[in-house]
Amino acid sequence: RTLLWDTEHFIPVLESMKRGNVLTSSWVNDNAWMSSTLQGELVMFDAVSGTNTMSLKGCKGPLNSFDCHPQHEHCVITGGTDGTVKLWDTRRSGTTKFIKAFSQDEVEETVLAPVDHRAHTSAGTAHRGSVNAVKFTPCGNFVVTLSGGSCATWDNRWARPRRLHEIERTKQTGSGRRVPMVLTGSTLSNVRVITPLQNLSKEIFSFYARPRPTENIVTMAGHLAPVSDFDISASNQMISAGEDGMILAWGYREGRGRKVKARDEDKDQW
């Protein structure tokens, strides 16, 4: 189940019920939110009644991550433990047909297709292992995926998306669970990826989505146990939560090879 809370009085005001275990939820707009499940489903709920208004069978295993297209309200991308990354049309509720899939196999394409509404039922895999996170860049033309410590950037403008590059940031082995990821920047040249990389990581890393000759990595260290989740405000204030029971506030700043620590007063408060 999913609960909607009144943050002023700290009481639940709405409950939505759906068979399956919810892995992650996010608002689609002011009237609806979407959830992914352990059973590989992507479901949408009405924010007024709490009723299920859309359901898609996303993958053969747990559906770790999804993201809504910033320009096309009916398009959503998913990433699951079966290694697939797929683009869906949310108006096709109850179906297993998707718009297009991201594949690590080399493809030949000659036509650009920002939104191709043809339906497909079979897909290759974007990564050999579990996909831990997927995100559109702010323009929606590119997609960043995370799998087992490797970060890949894809050109979404093609009918079959092309992988521009993949960078292995760590060789550590984690499980197939969801890993939080946030993108900052407006164009591919300045988009930065912020993520723990692995679900067992105690640190949060920030690096450019497009590789540069001079690497520019920021490491944020402060948690005593793996990072569970984090978010960043419009003013670059970052809040992170860890399995150590701490919630840390960070003054996030970009820098070259910088290692940032949580403020001592923030750690003392928690």
Short mmCIF file of all heavy atoms in Angstrom, two decimals, residues 93-150:
data_model
loop_
_atom_site.label_atom_id
_atom_site.label_comp_id
_atom_site.label_asym_id
_atom_site.label_seq_id
_atom_site.Cartn_x
_atom_site.Cartn_y
_atom_site.Cartn_z
N SER A 93 -2.79 1.30 -20.80
CA SER A 93 -2.90 0.59 -19.54
C SER A 93 -3.26 -0.88 -19.77
O SER A 93 -4.02 -1.21 -20.67
CB SER A 93 -3.95 1.25 -18.66
OG SER A 93 -4.08 0.56 -17.43
N GLY A 94 -2.67 -1.73 -18.92
CA GLY A 94 -3.00 -3.15 -18.97
C GLY A 94 -2.25 -3.93 -20.02
O GLY A 94 -2.54 -5.11 -20.25
N THR A 95 -1.28 -3.32 -20.68
CA THR A 95 -0.56 -3.99 -21.76
C THR A 95 0.89 -4.25 -21.39
O THR A 95 1.43 -3.66 -20.45
CB THR A 95 -0.61 -3.16 -23.05
OG1 THR A 95 0.02 -3.87 -24.11
CG2 THR A 95 0.12 -1.83 -22.86
N THR A 96 1.53 -5.15 -22.14
CA THR A 96 2.97 -5.39 -22.01
C THR A 96 3.72 -4.78 -23.19
O THR A 96 4.93 -4.96 -23.31
CB THR A 96 3.26 -6.90 -21.96
OG1 THR A 96 2.75 -7.52 -23.15
CG2 THR A 96 2.61 -7.54 -20.73
N LYS A 97 3.01 -4.05 -24.06
CA LYS A 97 3.62 -3.44 -25.23
C LYS A 97 4.24 -2.09 -24.88
O LYS A 97 3.60 -1.27 -24.23
CB LYS A 97 2.58 -3.27 -26.34
CG LYS A 97 2.04 -4.58 -26.88
CD LYS A 97 1.05 -4.35 -28.00
CE LYS A 97 0.54 -5.68 -28.56
NZ LYS A 97 -0.43 -5.48 -29.66
N PHE A 98 5.46 -1.88 -25.31
CA PHE A 98 6.19 -0.65 -25.02
C PHE A 98 6.54 0.06 -26.32
O PHE A 98 6.46 -0.51 -27.41
CB PHE A 98 7.45 -0.95 -24.20
CG PHE A 98 8.31 -2.03 -24.79
CD1 PHE A 98 9.28 -1.73 -25.73
CD2 PHE A 98 8.12 -3.35 -24.43
CE1 PHE A 98 10.07 -2.71 -26.28
CE2 PHE A 98 8.91 -4.36 -24.99
CZ PHE A 98 9.88 -4.04 -25.91
N ILE A 99 6.96 1.33 -26.21
CA ILE A 99 7.29 2.12 -27.40
C ILE A 99 8.63 1.69 -27.99
O ILE A 99 8.76 1.43 -29.18
CB ILE A 99 7.32 3.62 -27.07
CG1 ILE A 99 5.95 4.09 -26.57
CG2 ILE A 99 7.75 4.43 -28.28
CD1 ILE A 99 5.95 5.52 -26.07
N LYS A 100 9.66 1.63 -27.14
CA LYS A 100 10.98 1.20 -27.61
C LYS A 100 11.81 0.75 -26.42
O LYS A 100 11.52 1.09 -25.27
CB LYS A 100 11.70 2.31 -28.37
CG LYS A 100 11.84 3.64 -27.65
CD LYS A 100 12.47 4.67 -28.59
CE LYS A 100 12.50 6.06 -27.96
NZ LYS A 100 13.08 7.07 -28.88
N ALA A 101 12.86 -0.04 -26.73
CA ALA A 101 13.74 -0.57 -25.70
C ALA A 101 15.17 -0.14 -25.96
O ALA A 101 15.57 0.10 -27.11
CB ALA A 101 13.65 -2.10 -25.67
N PHE A 102 15.95 -0.04 -24.89
CA PHE A 102 17.36 0.32 -24.97
C PHE A 102 18.17 -0.97 -24.95
O PHE A 102 18.03 -1.77 -24.04
CB PHE A 102 17.75 1.21 -23.79
CG PHE A 102 17.10 2.57 -23.81
CD1 PHE A 102 15.72 2.70 -23.74
CD2 PHE A 102 17.87 3.71 -23.89
CE1 PHE A 102 15.12 3.96 -23.76
CE2 PHE A 102 17.28 4.98 -23.91
CZ PHE A 102 15.91 5.09 -23.85
N SER A 103 19.01 -1.17 -25.98
CA SER A 103 19.75 -2.42 -26.09
C SER A 103 21.24 -2.15 -26.21
O SER A 103 21.66 -1.19 -26.87
CB SER A 103 19.27 -3.20 -27.32
OG SER A 103 20.06 -4.36 -27.51
N GLN A 104 22.06 -3.01 -25.57
CA GLN A 104 23.51 -2.87 -25.64
C GLN A 104 24.05 -3.37 -26.97
O GLN A 104 25.22 -3.15 -27.30
CB GLN A 104 24.16 -3.65 -24.50
CG GLN A 104 23.82 -5.12 -24.49
CD GLN A 104 24.35 -5.80 -23.24
OE1 GLN A 104 25.35 -5.37 -22.67
NE2 GLN A 104 23.69 -6.86 -22.80
N ASP A 105 23.21 -4.05 -27.78
CA ASP A 105 23.63 -4.50 -29.10
C ASP A 105 23.76 -3.33 -30.05
O ASP A 105 22.98 -2.38 -29.99
CB ASP A 105 22.62 -5.50 -29.68
CG ASP A 105 22.48 -6.72 -28.79
OD1 ASP A 105 23.49 -7.12 -28.18
OD2 ASP A 105 21.36 -7.26 -28.71
N GLU A 106 24.73 -3.38 -30.95
CA GLU A 106 24.92 -2.32 -31.93
C GLU A 106 23.77 -2.34 -32.94
O GLU A 106 23.33 -3.39 -33.39
CB GLU A 106 26.25 -2.51 -32.68
CG GLU A 106 27.47 -2.32 -31.79
CD GLU A 106 27.59 -0.90 -31.27
OE1 GLU A 106 27.17 0.03 -32.00
OE2 GLU A 106 28.10 -0.71 -30.17
N VAL A 107 23.24 -1.15 -33.28
CA VAL A 107 22.13 -1.07 -34.23
C VAL A 107 22.46 -0.05 -35.30
O VAL A 107 23.27 0.85 -35.12
CB VAL A 107 20.81 -0.66 -33.53
CG1 VAL A 107 20.40 -1.71 -32.53
CG2 VAL A 107 20.95 0.71 -32.85
N GLU A 108 21.82 -0.20 -36.46
CA GLU A 108 21.95 0.75 -37.55
C GLU A 108 20.64 1.50 -37.70
O GLU A 108 19.59 0.91 -37.88
CB GLU A 108 22.28 0.02 -38.85
CG GLU A 108 23.66 -0.63 -38.86
CD GLU A 108 24.77 0.41 -38.83
OE1 GLU A 108 24.54 1.54 -39.33
OE2 GLU A 108 25.86 0.09 -38.32
N GLU A 109 20.67 2.83 -37.57
CA GLU A 109 19.47 3.64 -37.70
C GLU A 109 19.76 4.85 -38.58
O GLU A 109 20.86 5.40 -38.56
CB GLU A 109 18.98 4.12 -36.33
CG GLU A 109 18.30 3.04 -35.50
CD GLU A 109 16.92 2.68 -36.04
OE1 GLU A 109 16.44 3.37 -36.96
OE2 GLU A 109 16.33 1.71 -35.54
N THR A 110 18.79 5.28 -39.35
CA THR A 110 18.98 6.45 -40.20
C THR A 110 17.92 7.52 -39.95
O THR A 110 18.00 8.59 -40.51
CB THR A 110 18.90 6.05 -41.68
OG1 THR A 110 17.64 5.41 -41.93
CG2 THR A 110 20.02 5.08 -42.03
N VAL A 111 16.95 7.23 -39.10
CA VAL A 111 15.85 8.16 -38.87
C VAL A 111 15.78 8.53 -37.40
O VAL A 111 15.77 7.66 -36.54
CB VAL A 111 14.50 7.55 -39.33
CG1 VAL A 111 13.37 8.54 -39.08
CG2 VAL A 111 14.57 7.16 -40.79
N LEU A 112 15.74 9.82 -37.14
CA LEU A 112 15.54 10.29 -35.78
C LEU A 112 14.06 10.21 -35.43
O LEU A 112 13.21 10.59 -36.22
CB LEU A 112 16.03 11.74 -35.62
CG LEU A 112 17.55 11.94 -35.60
CD1 LEU A 112 17.87 13.42 -35.58
CD2 LEU A 112 18.17 11.25 -34.40
N ALA A 113 13.75 9.73 -34.21
CA ALA A 113 12.35 9.60 -33.80
C ALA A 113 12.24 9.91 -32.32
O ALA A 113 12.38 9.03 -31.48
CB ALA A 113 11.84 8.19 -34.08
N PRO A 114 12.03 11.20 -31.95
CA PRO A 114 11.95 11.58 -30.54
C PRO A 114 10.88 10.79 -29.78
O PRO A 114 11.10 10.36 -28.66
CB PRO A 114 11.61 13.07 -30.60
CG PRO A 114 12.09 13.51 -31.93
CD PRO A 114 11.90 12.34 -32.84
N VAL A 115 9.71 10.61 -30.37
CA VAL A 115 8.67 9.83 -29.73
C VAL A 115 8.06 8.90 -30.78
O VAL A 115 7.30 9.34 -31.64
CB VAL A 115 7.56 10.72 -29.12
CG1 VAL A 115 6.51 9.85 -28.45
CG2 VAL A 115 8.15 11.70 -28.11
N ASP A 116 8.44 7.65 -30.74
CA ASP A 116 7.94 6.66 -31.69
C ASP A 116 6.85 5.84 -31.00
O ASP A 116 7.12 5.08 -30.08
CB ASP A 116 9.10 5.74 -32.11
CG ASP A 116 8.67 4.69 -33.12
OD1 ASP A 116 7.48 4.69 -33.50
OD2 ASP A 116 9.52 3.87 -33.50
N HIS A 117 5.59 5.98 -31.44
CA HIS A 117 4.47 5.37 -30.74
C HIS A 117 4.12 3.98 -31.24
O HIS A 117 3.07 3.45 -30.90
CB HIS A 117 3.25 6.29 -30.81
CG HIS A 117 3.38 7.49 -29.95
ND1 HIS A 117 3.29 7.44 -28.57
CD2 HIS A 117 3.64 8.78 -30.25
CE1 HIS A 117 3.45 8.65 -28.07
NE2 HIS A 117 3.67 9.48 -29.06
N ARG A 118 5.00 3.37 -32.06
CA ARG A 118 4.77 1.99 -32.43
C ARG A 118 4.99 1.11 -31.20
O ARG A 118 5.86 1.37 -30.38
CB ARG A 118 5.72 1.56 -33.55
CG ARG A 118 5.44 2.26 -34.87
CD ARG A 118 6.53 1.92 -35.87
NE ARG A 118 7.83 2.41 -35.43
CZ ARG A 118 8.96 2.20 -36.11
NH1 ARG A 118 8.94 1.50 -37.22
NH2 ARG A 118 10.10 2.68 -35.65
N ALA A 119 4.22 0.02 -31.09
CA ALA A 119 4.30 -0.84 -29.91
C ALA A 119 5.17 -2.06 -30.18
O ALA A 119 5.15 -2.62 -31.28
CB ALA A 119 2.91 -1.27 -29.48
N HIS A 120 5.96 -2.46 -29.19
CA HIS A 120 6.81 -3.64 -29.29
C HIS A 120 6.59 -4.52 -28.06
O HIS A 120 6.19 -4.05 -27.00
CB HIS A 120 8.29 -3.24 -29.38
CG HIS A 120 8.58 -2.27 -30.48
ND1 HIS A 120 8.81 -2.65 -31.78
CD2 HIS A 120 8.65 -0.90 -30.48
CE1 HIS A 120 9.01 -1.59 -32.53
NE2 HIS A 120 8.93 -0.52 -31.77
N THR A 121 6.86 -5.81 -28.21
CA THR A 121 6.65 -6.74 -27.10
C THR A 121 7.92 -7.47 -26.69
O THR A 121 7.95 -8.11 -25.64
CB THR A 121 5.58 -7.79 -27.47
OG1 THR A 121 5.98 -8.45 -28.67
CG2 THR A 121 4.23 -7.13 -27.66
N SER A 122 9.00 -7.42 -27.50
CA SER A 122 10.25 -8.08 -27.14
C SER A 122 11.37 -7.04 -27.10
O SER A 122 11.34 -6.06 -27.84
CB SER A 122 10.60 -9.18 -28.16
OG SER A 122 10.76 -8.63 -29.45
N ALA A 123 12.35 -7.28 -26.22
CA ALA A 123 13.41 -6.29 -26.05
C ALA A 123 14.72 -6.97 -25.69
O ALA A 123 14.74 -8.01 -25.03
CB ALA A 123 13.03 -5.30 -24.95
N GLY A 124 15.84 -6.35 -26.13
CA GLY A 124 17.14 -6.77 -25.67
C GLY A 124 17.41 -6.13 -24.32
O GLY A 124 16.56 -5.46 -23.74
N THR A 125 18.62 -6.33 -23.81
CA THR A 125 18.97 -5.77 -22.51
C THR A 125 19.90 -4.58 -22.67
O THR A 125 20.78 -4.58 -23.53
CB THR A 125 19.64 -6.83 -21.61
OG1 THR A 125 20.79 -7.35 -22.29
CG2 THR A 125 18.67 -7.96 -21.31
N ALA A 126 19.69 -3.57 -21.83
CA ALA A 126 20.54 -2.39 -21.85
C ALA A 126 21.84 -2.64 -21.09
O ALA A 126 22.88 -2.07 -21.41
CB ALA A 126 19.80 -1.20 -21.24
N HIS A 127 21.78 -3.51 -20.07
CA HIS A 127 22.95 -3.87 -19.27
C HIS A 127 22.93 -5.37 -19.02
O HIS A 127 21.87 -6.00 -19.03
CB HIS A 127 22.94 -3.13 -17.93
CG HIS A 127 23.13 -1.65 -18.04
ND1 HIS A 127 24.36 -1.05 -18.15
CD2 HIS A 127 22.22 -0.64 -18.09
CE1 HIS A 127 24.22 0.27 -18.24
NE2 HIS A 127 22.92 0.54 -18.20
N ARG A 128 24.10 -5.93 -18.78
CA ARG A 128 24.18 -7.36 -18.50
C ARG A 128 23.63 -7.70 -17.13
O ARG A 128 23.17 -8.81 -16.88
CB ARG A 128 25.63 -7.84 -18.62
CG ARG A 128 26.17 -7.81 -20.04
CD ARG A 128 27.58 -8.36 -20.12
NE ARG A 128 28.06 -8.40 -21.50
CZ ARG A 128 28.64 -7.40 -22.11
NH1 ARG A 128 28.82 -6.25 -21.46
NH2 ARG A 128 29.05 -7.50 -23.36
N GLY A 129 23.70 -6.73 -16.22
CA GLY A 129 23.18 -6.94 -14.87
C GLY A 129 21.92 -6.15 -14.62
O GLY A 129 21.31 -5.58 -15.54
N SER A 130 21.52 -6.10 -13.38
CA SER A 130 20.32 -5.37 -12.98
C SER A 130 20.48 -3.88 -13.21
O SER A 130 21.55 -3.30 -12.98
CB SER A 130 20.05 -5.63 -11.49
OG SER A 130 19.00 -4.83 -11.02
N VAL A 131 19.42 -3.24 -13.71
CA VAL A 131 19.41 -1.79 -13.87
C VAL A 131 18.96 -1.17 -12.55
O VAL A 131 17.84 -1.41 -12.09
CB VAL A 131 18.47 -1.34 -15.01
CG1 VAL A 131 18.45 0.18 -15.12
CG2 VAL A 131 18.92 -1.96 -16.33
N ASN A 132 19.84 -0.38 -11.93
CA ASN A 132 19.56 0.18 -10.61
C ASN A 132 18.87 1.53 -10.65
O ASN A 132 18.20 1.92 -9.69
CB ASN A 132 20.86 0.30 -9.80
CG ASN A 132 21.60 -1.01 -9.68
OD1 ASN A 132 22.70 -1.16 -10.19
ND2 ASN A 132 20.99 -1.98 -9.02
N ALA A 133 19.03 2.28 -11.75
CA ALA A 133 18.42 3.61 -11.85
C ALA A 133 18.34 4.05 -13.30
O ALA A 133 19.20 3.70 -14.11
CB ALA A 133 19.21 4.63 -11.03
N VAL A 134 17.28 4.83 -13.64
CA VAL A 134 17.13 5.44 -14.97
C VAL A 134 16.66 6.88 -14.78
O VAL A 134 15.85 7.16 -13.90
CB VAL A 134 16.12 4.67 -15.86
CG1 VAL A 134 16.66 3.30 -16.21
CG2 VAL A 134 14.77 4.55 -15.18
N LYS A 135 17.17 7.79 -15.64
CA LYS A 135 16.76 9.20 -15.57
C LYS A 135 16.86 9.84 -16.94
O LYS A 135 17.82 9.62 -17.69
CB LYS A 135 17.67 9.99 -14.61
CG LYS A 135 17.37 9.81 -13.14
CD LYS A 135 16.12 10.57 -12.73
CE LYS A 135 15.89 10.47 -11.23
NZ LYS A 135 14.64 11.17 -10.83
N PHE A 136 15.86 10.66 -17.28
CA PHE A 136 15.94 11.52 -18.45
C PHE A 136 16.79 12.73 -18.10
O PHE A 136 16.77 13.23 -16.97
CB PHE A 136 14.55 12.02 -18.85
CG PHE A 136 13.69 11.03 -19.57
CD1 PHE A 136 12.59 10.46 -18.94
CD2 PHE A 136 13.97 10.67 -20.88
CE1 PHE A 136 11.78 9.56 -19.60
CE2 PHE A 136 13.16 9.76 -21.56
CZ PHE A 136 12.07 9.20 -20.91
N THR A 137 17.54 13.25 -19.08
CA THR A 137 18.15 14.57 -18.92
C THR A 137 17.03 15.60 -19.01
O THR A 137 15.93 15.29 -19.52
CB THR A 137 19.21 14.83 -20.00
OG1 THR A 137 18.60 14.73 -21.29
CG2 THR A 137 20.36 13.84 -19.90
N PRO A 138 17.24 16.84 -18.54
CA PRO A 138 16.15 17.83 -18.52
C PRO A 138 15.47 18.07 -19.87
O PRO A 138 14.28 18.37 -19.92
CB PRO A 138 16.86 19.09 -18.01
CG PRO A 138 17.96 18.58 -17.14
CD PRO A 138 18.43 17.33 -17.83
N CYS A 139 16.20 17.93 -20.98
CA CYS A 139 15.61 18.15 -22.30
C CYS A 139 14.84 16.92 -22.78
O CYS A 139 14.02 17.01 -23.70
CB CYS A 139 16.67 18.53 -23.32
SG CYS A 139 17.89 17.22 -23.62
N GLY A 140 15.10 15.76 -22.20
CA GLY A 140 14.42 14.53 -22.58
C GLY A 140 15.04 13.80 -23.76
O GLY A 140 14.61 12.71 -24.11
N ASN A 141 16.08 14.39 -24.38
CA ASN A 141 16.70 13.77 -25.54
C ASN A 141 17.68 12.66 -25.19
O ASN A 141 18.02 11.83 -26.03
CB ASN A 141 17.44 14.82 -26.37
CG ASN A 141 16.49 15.77 -27.07
OD1 ASN A 141 15.35 15.43 -27.33
ND2 ASN A 141 16.96 16.98 -27.34
N PHE A 142 18.14 12.66 -23.93
CA PHE A 142 19.13 11.67 -23.51
C PHE A 142 18.67 11.00 -22.21
O PHE A 142 17.88 11.56 -21.46
CB PHE A 142 20.50 12.34 -23.30
CG PHE A 142 20.99 13.05 -24.52
CD1 PHE A 142 20.76 14.42 -24.69
CD2 PHE A 142 21.68 12.38 -25.52
CE1 PHE A 142 21.19 15.09 -25.82
CE2 PHE A 142 22.12 13.04 -26.66
CZ PHE A 142 21.88 14.39 -26.81
N VAL A 143 19.19 9.79 -22.00
CA VAL A 143 18.84 9.00 -20.82
C VAL A 143 20.13 8.51 -20.17
O VAL A 143 21.06 8.09 -20.87
CB VAL A 143 17.94 7.81 -21.20
CG1 VAL A 143 17.76 6.86 -20.02
CG2 VAL A 143 16.58 8.29 -21.70
N VAL A 144 20.17 8.56 -18.84
CA VAL A 144 21.31 8.03 -18.08
C VAL A 144 20.84 6.81 -17.31
O VAL A 144 19.80 6.85 -16.64
CB VAL A 144 21.88 9.08 -17.12
CG1 VAL A 144 23.02 8.49 -16.28
CG2 VAL A 144 22.39 10.30 -17.90
N THR A 145 21.57 5.71 -17.42
CA THR A 145 21.23 4.48 -16.70
C THR A 145 22.39 4.05 -15.83
O THR A 145 23.55 4.31 -16.14
CB THR A 145 20.87 3.34 -17.68
OG1 THR A 145 22.00 3.07 -18.54
CG2 THR A 145 19.67 3.74 -18.54
N LEU A 146 22.05 3.36 -14.73
CA LEU A 146 23.05 2.92 -13.76
C LEU A 146 22.88 1.42 -13.53
O LEU A 146 21.76 0.94 -13.33
CB LEU A 146 22.87 3.68 -12.45
CG LEU A 146 23.98 3.58 -11.41
CD1 LEU A 146 25.25 4.25 -11.91
CD2 LEU A 146 23.54 4.23 -10.10
N SER A 147 24.00 0.69 -13.58
CA SER A 147 23.95 -0.76 -13.36
C SER A 147 25.27 -1.25 -12.80
O SER A 147 26.31 -1.12 -13.45
CB SER A 147 23.64 -1.49 -14.67
OG SER A 147 23.70 -2.89 -14.51
N GLY A 148 25.23 -1.79 -11.59
CA GLY A 148 26.42 -2.41 -11.01
C GLY A 148 27.64 -1.54 -10.96
O GLY A 148 28.76 -2.02 -11.16
N GLY A 149 27.47 -0.24 -10.72
CA GLY A 149 28.61 0.67 -10.65
C GLY A 149 29.01 1.26 -11.98
O GLY A 149 29.92 2.07 -12.05
N SER A 150 28.33 0.86 -13.07
CA SER A 150 28.59 1.43 -14.39
C SER A 150 27.49 2.43 -14.75
O SER A 150 26.31 2.19 -14.49
CB SER A 150 28.64 0.33 -15.46
OG SER A 150 29.74 -0.52 -15.25
#
